[in-house]
Amino acid sequence: RRFHCTITCLPSATDVEGGDNNSTEQSNDKYSTIALDVYSPQFDIVFRYWVKYFNASDDDDQEVEDALSLTPRDPSKHTSNIFIERTLLLTLSYIRHALTPTTFHEKLSSLLSATNTALSVKLRADNDFYSLIPHLQTWNLDATSQNVSSLPDF
């Protein structure tokens, strides 16, 4: 294990930061759009996206090339991270395919039924991913395996 995440539904990061208060964007009959907030403590940033996905019947899905897309919610403040964006698209596409498009839409709709709620992902990494020397120095600890084990997870 090196990377993992936690996923929940929380008030949209824009509510906390004083930005727009919409957790959904205008959609047509065949597409739905939800708010997605990705919290990255490693980079000390929240990536805020619109996830637009095709929600017509499972049979119609075979013909749709762009069944799922990410768009920054505030392009003027957005910092792109291609690794995070590709990972999100791949993961969401897999979940959507595994559940079926209809079930994917039903589950997201029920989870995000509250106003100003976003699907929230917090990125995490095991301590062995990071250089631990600065963290040991912060805690005034020697570089020993016992001291490394005593550090809180990042």
Side-chain angles (χ1 to χ4, degrees):
R1 257 181 41 188
R2 287 193 80 133
F3 296 103
H4 51 280
C5 68
T6 53
I7 302 172
T8 190
C9 295
L10 295 172
S12 172
T14 56
D15 293 340
V16 175
E17 297 167 6
D20 67 53
N21 289 328
N22 297 323
S23 60
T24 59
E25 190 179 56
Q26 290 291 335
S27 299
N28 64 33
D29 290 340
K30 293 193 177 195
Y31 284 88
S32 290
T33 306
I34 61 162
L36 171 66
D37 294 331
V38 180
Y39 295 84
S40 177
Q42 300 87 343
F43 301 114
D44 195 29
I45 193 170
V46 178
F47 298 98
R48 299 177 0 208
Y49 298 101
W50 290 117
V51 177
K52 183 177 179 180
Y53 63 93
F54 187 69
N55 67 13
S57 74
D58 296 339
D59 296 331
D60 292 341
D61 196 54
Q62 303 298 329
E63 303 163 14
V64 178
E65 205 168 300
D66 61 340
L68 198 134
S69 64
L70 286 177
T71 307
R73 293 212 319 260
D74 187 350
S76 67
K77 295 180 182 176
H78 182 74
T79 302
S80 184
N81 183 314
I82 194 87
F83 175 76
I84 288 173
E85 291 167 4
R86 286 183 179 171
T87 302
L88 287 168
L89 283 171
L90 181 63
T91 303
L92 290 169
S93 295
Y94 172 78
I95 293 168
R96 184 176 174 275
H97 177 75
L99 290 176
T100 76
T102 301
T103 305
F104 180 80
H105 174 66
E106 289 168 356
K107 290 197 178 286
L108 284 178
S109 296
S110 67
L111 283 172
L112 300 170
S113 59
T115 305
N116 300 328
T117 302
L119 186 62
S120 300
V121 176
K122 185 170 185 179
L123 304 179
R124 302 182 185 274
D126 290 342
N127 285 352
D128 64 346
F129 175 73
Y130 300 99
S131 171
L132 298 176
I133 300 300
H135 300 288
L136 289 167
Q137 290 170 344
T138 299
W139 292 85
N140 294 319
L141 297 172
D142 294 328
T144 67
S145 59
Q146 183 178 7
N147 286 340
V148 167
S149 296
S150 73
L151 290 174
D153 288 338
F154 299 108

